Amino acid sequence: PYSAAKASADLFVKAYGDTYGLPVNITRCSNNYGPYQFPEKLIPLVINNAIQGKEIPVYGDGRNVRDWLYVSDHCNAIQSVLRHGNPGEVYNIGGNNERHNIDIVHLILQTVRESGFEQSGPHLIHFVTDRKGHDRRYAIDSKKMRMQLGWKPVVSFEEGIRETVAWYLKHNDWMKKVTNGSYLEYYQRMYEGR
């Protein structure tokens, strides 16, 4: 259902462009990360749990692969499409950073530990039953963005992770605020007892 909802959204946009001549573009991006990302997503969830010394749930064997794109690179790509994209075209926006989830978890744990949180370590990793229909790999070909629009990501994954961890450490009050109430219910539903 998750993938079908994305595909149907693309078709709705394309239908309005084809039928009414609206100057539309469709962009498809790889996984984003960076400041203000809600902690149901992998990277902020791992940062939050590592800081607190809590178990870090990792789906399946942790070998799922995703391509990662720093949020400012994504914003710049959207600006490029808005300014220079051809109406009706679809543009894939990728970070050229395919990584296994477990490798990302280890990198974040190391970065958090280097920031002074000694309790952050591989012992926190807890493998949980994978979600139904969870794709093993998401891949994206952003060659068209490079060739037609001259866009490419500028933030390396390691640099983006360092900046993201630093942001969450500096904005711990924000994290505490958004992880109360209904987030706790969601977290228990998703990970406890798996």
Side-chain angles (χ1 to χ4, degrees):
Y2 177 72
S3 299
K6 286 183 173 187
S8 62
D10 282 7
L11 291 174
F12 270 114
V13 171
K14 183 173 176 358
Y16 272 89
D18 292 348
T19 304
Y20 299 109
L22 290 176
V24 299
N25 288 109
I26 295 170
T27 62
R28 300 178 186 133
C29 69
S30 54
N31 284 17
N32 278 220
Y33 69 102
Y36 287 106
Q37 188 172 35
F38 195 72
E40 59 136 340
K41 299 297 184 186
L42 177 68
I43 290 174
L45 185 147
V46 173
I47 294 168
N48 187 44
N49 284 19
I51 290 167
Q52 296 181 47
K54 290 174 53 178
E55 275 189 354
I56 296 167
V58 176
Y59 285 130
D61 61 2
R63 304 294 295 167
N64 297 53
V65 176
R66 299 292 181 267
D67 179 50
W68 294 90
L69 178 65
Y70 192 66
V71 65
S72 63
D73 281 333
H74 190 192
C75 292
N76 290 334
I78 291 169
Q79 277 188 332
S80 183
V81 170
L82 287 170
R83 290 183 178 148
H84 309 293
N86 296 319
E89 291 284 325
V90 176
Y91 294 95
N92 293 332
I93 303 168
N96 303 320
N97 281 308
E98 285 192 20
R99 313 246 173 173
H100 291 103
N101 287 349
I102 193 65
D103 296 335
I104 293 166
V105 171
H106 283 291
L107 177 61
I108 293 170
L109 288 171
Q110 176 186 338
T111 306
V112 170
R113 198 168 44 256
E114 289 169 357
S115 299
F117 292 84
E118 295 298 323
Q119 77 278 15
S120 174
H123 67 282
L124 296 175
I125 297 170
H126 176 70
F127 294 97
V128 298
T129 304
D130 210 345
R131 296 184 323 210
K132 290 185 180 195
H134 200 197
D135 294 311
R136 190 70 166 167
R137 178 176 180 237
Y138 290 168
I140 199 158
D141 181 358
S142 58
K143 185 173 20 180
K144 185 176 182 179
M145 286 291 296
R146 289 191 310 276
M147 303 299 284
Q148 287 187 12
L149 304 181
W151 174 90
K152 66 180 181 181
V154 296
V155 179
S156 73
F157 187 72
E158 291 74 16
E159 177 188 353
I161 289 294
R162 280 192 305 275
E163 288 182 17
T164 301
V165 167
W167 187 91
Y168 281 98
L169 291 176
K170 186 176 178 183
H171 296 88
N172 197 33
D173 288 346
W174 178 86
M175 182 64 90
K176 285 179 183 174
K177 183 178 171 185
V178 300
T179 55
N180 284 324
S182 60
Y183 174 80
L184 295 175
E185 294 169 17
Y186 165 83
Y187 189 90
Q188 289 171 344
R189 191 172 61 251
M190 290 301 291
Y191 301 113
E192 290 188 6
R194 291 182 89 172

